[in-house]
Amino acid sequence: MVKLISAWIVGLLLALLYLYAVVAGIGNFVGLVGLSEALGTGLSGTGRLWLIIGIAMPVIVLVVALLVGRGRGAGSRILLLAAGVALVAAWQIDLMHVIPESSYFA
């Protein structure tokens, strides 16, 4: 029983990390839209695409991890969720550091 409860707690904490990634993506989108309006420009098409991918990717990775982990043990599901969080975090770092901020603006 203790293993089951601890697995649920860890799974919920990992799900909260996915939620944080979605909220951060929405915040980036809203912030860059506001910044582009303050600069008197708009977002470019590729900028909008990167920001929308930054919002959608955590949701997609979470769904894939849950589907792949269906029917497996709790440990395997937790590892899949943790690997998905690592993938999403790496993606967000790429968006933040590799793609120059000037490419978001038209």
Side-chain angles (χ1 to χ4, degrees):
M1 186 68 166
V2 173
K3 283 186 178 182
L4 181 66
I5 292 172
S6 62
W8 271 98
I9 290 172
V10 171
L12 288 174
L13 290 175
L14 287 169
L16 287 175
L17 289 175
Y18 283 102
L19 178 66
Y20 175 79
V22 171
V23 170
I26 293 170
N28 288 337
F29 189 83
V30 170
L32 282 177
V33 167
L35 182 62
S36 69
E37 290 174 358
L39 293 173
T41 64
L43 288 177
S44 66
T46 56
R48 286 187 191 272
L49 177 70
W50 287 121
L51 291 170
I52 290 170
I53 289 173
I55 295 169
M57 187 175 180
V59 176
I60 293 168
V61 171
L62 175 63
V63 169
V64 169
L66 290 174
L67 288 175
V68 170
R70 197 172 58 176
R72 297 179 190 236
S76 297
R77 279 183 272 164
I78 288 173
L79 285 175
L80 283 168
L81 289 172
V85 167
L87 177 71
V88 168
W91 177 261
Q92 286 182 336
I93 289 173
D94 275 351
L95 284 179
M96 190 169 56
H97 293 292
V98 174
I99 300 169
E101 192 173 295
S102 61
S103 68
Y104 287 98
F105 304 113

